[in-house]
Amino acid sequence: MNILPIDITNAQNGDMDAFTRIVEESQKPLLRYIMRISHFSEAQAEEILQEIFIKAWRYINEYDASFAFSSWIYRIAHNTTISEFRKSTARGEDKKVNWEPEEVEAVASGLNLEKEINQKQTQEIVRHVLSFLQEKEKEVLILRFLEQKTYDEISDILQVPVNTVATNLSRAKKKFLETLSRHYPAFSPLFV
Amino acid sequence: MNFAERIAEKIKKEKIKPLSPWYFSAKNWIFWISFFLSLLLGSVAFSFLLIALIQNEFVPAMMILPFLWIGTLAILITSAWYFVWHTKTGYRIPSWIWIGGNVGVSMILGALLYFSTFDHWQDQMMRFSGMKNAQEVFWSRPEEGFLSGTLALENEDIILIDKMHQKWYLRFSEKVQKKHPLLLKQLSVSKRQEIFLPPHPVKIQGVIVAKDMFLVEDMKPLMRGKMREEKMQFIPVPSAKLHLLPSNTPLSPL
């Protein structure tokens, strides 16, 4: 996401062309992020993305240059998606993790599991184990290992202290390994 | 028409306008101001808690007050945390630091309020809540060492007239001489042959040493929150005696 500061300033002054450039630049990573933290299909995710950009336009003057713009727009994306995700899970829709193999690889790599991750079976296991993690744990793993965000950026996106980010990440890793050893005892030695 | 153009089209069609920067600025200020107000009110609640704990602990009707103020303080601390959490950067500092810091600051400010400028407000609150009567009841138990009333003169002796109009001849112990030298200076300006009596009711802690005679161990205004005698008001009374006695001096009734 490479958004020019001048486009942000112009968009804050009501320049729709500048805002359109911001949308073009950020739509792909945000769409991917929506799909990663939810179970939504691409069509559903696009609808949510549209809602996110309309909110971003409405709240564009809330953005403060002391933050990274990407953190600000990720925060809107996160809050909107989670809100929609909760509504849909309350309706009893499926909660399974629909990640691409390379996404599973990225998380597994972050958890130092890359040695075995190329095997298809292992990817399935990682995907299954991830489905046991809580929302908070999963989202911090996604932001760290898939979106490549720093602790400070994650803190700004999730609006929690940096220490909490570190704690949640550490807890997520621990829980991942515990779940793995509980459900796949034969595999756990491979990941340690 | 690509996705970005569709968004632009929708925004134009629905005439969606960005909210003014003032809106966000004002929102941020409102949260900060609310935070500081909650902090300040929390401090006031803490000083009321001190009053309830220190001054009215033996009055049964007042036993509930500390809990009321603790509850108020807890609500104000929670709301201060809520407000600061909604400022632009409030989330960056962990909640326990906000809450702990808030409790600490409320206690320090509350204690400062209690020990410095709280007299007036306390009087008002006591009158408002009917605590004056409770205070009088509490300080009308001479046999238990608590006495209240108005100071006066009788035959050059300082006396106290309690709410039952009973006269008490006062003797001032060594303890009160040490504790409140300024009070005694005000009460006893022997060189000029006059003393200064507070016109408002006072409360006295001490002991009955003889019939109608009370040995004063401590004295302060009845409706005042603290014992700074320089805050007591005095009026000059000519030609009076002040009996300053060591606390172990044997006394006989007048």
Side-chain angles (χ1 to χ4, degrees):
Chain A
M1 198 184 289
N2 184 25
I3 293 159
L4 299 173
I6 186 74
D7 280 339
I8 300 168
T9 311
N10 288 341
Q12 285 180 319
N13 291 326
D15 182 344
M16 185 53 77
D17 291 338
F19 186 71
T20 306
R21 282 193 292 278
I22 292 173
V23 174
E24 281 167 350
E25 191 58 42
S26 52
Q27 70 181 83
K28 274 187 188 162
L30 288 180
L31 185 68
R32 221 169 33 224
Y33 179 61
I34 295 167
M35 293 175 74
R36 280 168 176 167
I37 60 170
S38 66
H39 60 267
F40 294 129
S41 67
E42 194 168 339
Q44 286 173 310
E46 269 198 13
E47 268 181 46
I48 293 167
L49 188 60
Q50 187 171 308
E51 194 184 326
I52 288 164
F53 281 122
I54 286 170
K55 271 188 195 167
W57 170 252
R58 230 172 108 69
Y59 290 89
I60 190 79
N61 285 314
E62 185 193 41
Y63 170 69
D64 173 345
S66 60
F67 294 81
F69 184 80
S70 72
S71 299
W72 179 77
I73 202 152
Y74 260 83
R75 184 192 295 175
I76 297 176
H78 177 84
N79 292 341
T80 311
T81 309
I82 292 299
S83 161
E84 290 299 321
F85 183 62
R86 282 180 187 154
K87 278 182 212 164
S88 73
T89 50
R91 289 194 296 265
E93 291 176 22
D94 192 6
K95 275 180 79 173
K96 73 177 179 189
V97 177
N98 289 320
W99 290 1
E100 296 298 322
E102 61 272 18
E103 292 176 332
V104 178
E105 274 179 39
V107 170
S109 164
L111 295 166
N112 299 320
L113 308 178
E114 67 263 82
K115 203 162 64 179
E116 305 295 332
I117 205 67
N118 291 327
Q119 296 170 15
K120 196 169 184 241
Q121 191 187 12
T122 314
Q123 284 191 13
E124 279 305 312
I125 291 169
V126 170
R127 194 175 277 124
H128 183 227
V129 171
L130 283 171
S131 69
F132 284 93
L133 298 189
Q134 283 181 354
E135 231 171 68
K136 271 184 192 171
E137 297 157 346
K138 226 182 307 180
E139 66 198 16
V140 81
L141 282 179
I142 292 167
L143 286 166
R144 183 78 188 106
F145 300 125
L146 298 183
E147 307 297 331
Q148 304 290 319
K149 300 290 182 194
T150 64
Y151 280 31
D152 284 335
E153 287 170 328
I154 298 173
S155 156
D156 288 336
I157 294 166
L158 301 178
Q159 290 180 284
V160 293
V162 174
N163 287 349
T164 308
V165 173
T167 309
N168 285 349
L169 194 58
S170 154
R171 194 177 295 150
K173 284 180 183 176
K174 195 178 166 200
K175 192 168 173 186
F176 180 93
L177 294 173
E178 279 172 4
T179 313
L180 183 75
S181 64
R182 195 165 57 246
H183 290 269
Y184 301 95
F187 273 83
S188 57
L190 296 174
F191 298 110
V192 179
Chain B
M1 195 185 281
N2 66 26
F3 180 78
E5 287 166 348
R6 281 209 309 275
I7 300 270
E9 191 63 31
K10 187 176 165 76
I11 287 170
K12 279 179 192 164
K13 197 177 162 190
E14 294 182 15
K15 294 179 183 165
I16 301 165
K17 300 273 178 216
L19 291 166
S20 156
W22 290 105
Y23 169 83
F24 299 104
S25 192
K27 192 174 142 193
N28 201 41
W29 274 104
I30 286 169
F31 280 126
W32 275 115
I33 290 167
S34 306
F35 165 74
F36 283 111
L37 273 179
S38 300
L39 190 66
L40 209 63
L41 290 174
S43 307
V44 174
F46 184 76
S47 54
F48 274 104
L49 175 65
L50 284 181
I51 292 167
L53 283 175
I54 296 170
Q55 299 196 356
N56 299 291
E57 58 204 317
F58 304 116
V59 184
M62 299 296 141
M63 293 296 273
I64 196 170
L65 272 181
F67 298 103
L68 279 178
W69 290 119
I70 287 171
T72 310
L73 187 61
I75 290 167
L76 287 166
I77 285 169
T78 311
S79 53
W81 170 77
Y82 171 85
F83 291 130
V84 83
W85 199 251
H86 285 79
T87 59
K88 208 174 268 182
T89 50
Y91 63 85
R92 287 181 176 172
I93 296 171
S95 303
W96 68 267
I97 293 181
W98 281 119
I99 293 172
N102 200 336
V103 170
V105 171
S106 295
M107 286 170 78
I108 292 167
L109 285 181
L112 283 175
L113 265 176
Y114 176 76
F115 288 111
S116 60
T117 60
F118 213 70
D119 287 359
H120 173 72
W121 294 110
Q122 188 205 0
D123 285 359
Q124 296 302 316
M125 286 304 291
M126 281 179 170
R127 287 196 183 101
F128 180 74
S129 61
M131 278 169 72
K132 188 181 176 185
N133 289 338
Q135 284 271 71
E136 276 179 0
V137 170
F138 179 75
W139 288 95
S140 298
R141 297 177 297 160
E143 63 289 346
E144 290 174 52
F146 303 103
L147 189 60
S148 63
T150 310
L151 294 180
L153 284 175
E154 189 180 272
N155 302 327
E156 299 185 351
D157 254 317
I158 296 176
I159 60 164
L160 179 132
I161 302 169
D162 68 16
K163 70 171 188 173
M164 306 301 287
H165 305 291
Q166 184 183 342
K167 290 174 186 173
W168 292 90
Y169 294 88
L170 300 183
R171 297 293 180 265
F172 294 87
S173 72
E174 223 171 31
K175 191 179 167 187
V176 77
Q177 292 171 44
K178 283 179 189 164
K179 200 170 176 184
H180 299 306
L182 186 59
L183 168 74
L184 295 179
K185 195 180 165 194
Q186 294 271 29
L187 285 174
S188 170
V189 189
S190 54
K191 282 177 189 170
R192 286 190 287 162
Q193 291 297 298
E194 65 177 15
I195 67 164
F196 295 80
L197 289 181
H200 46 70
V202 293
K203 54 190 175 191
I204 292 173
Q205 223 174 330
V207 62
I208 300 173
V209 287
K211 189 176 180 293
D212 300 336
M213 186 179 286
F214 204 82
L215 181 66
V216 181
E217 301 280 356
D218 198 1
M219 180 161 81
K220 41 196 168 180
L222 181 63
M223 296 306 291
R224 295 284 164 175
K226 53 195 168 64
M227 35 192 296
R228 286 173 58 184
E229 59 271 18
E230 64 266 32
K231 284 283 180 85
M232 286 174 86
Q233 293 172 352
F234 292 89
I235 50 166
V237 180
S239 307
K241 284 178 192 169
L242 182 71
H243 297 274
L244 298 173
L245 299 170
S247 52
N248 55 357
T249 305
L251 293 159
S252 55
L254 285 177

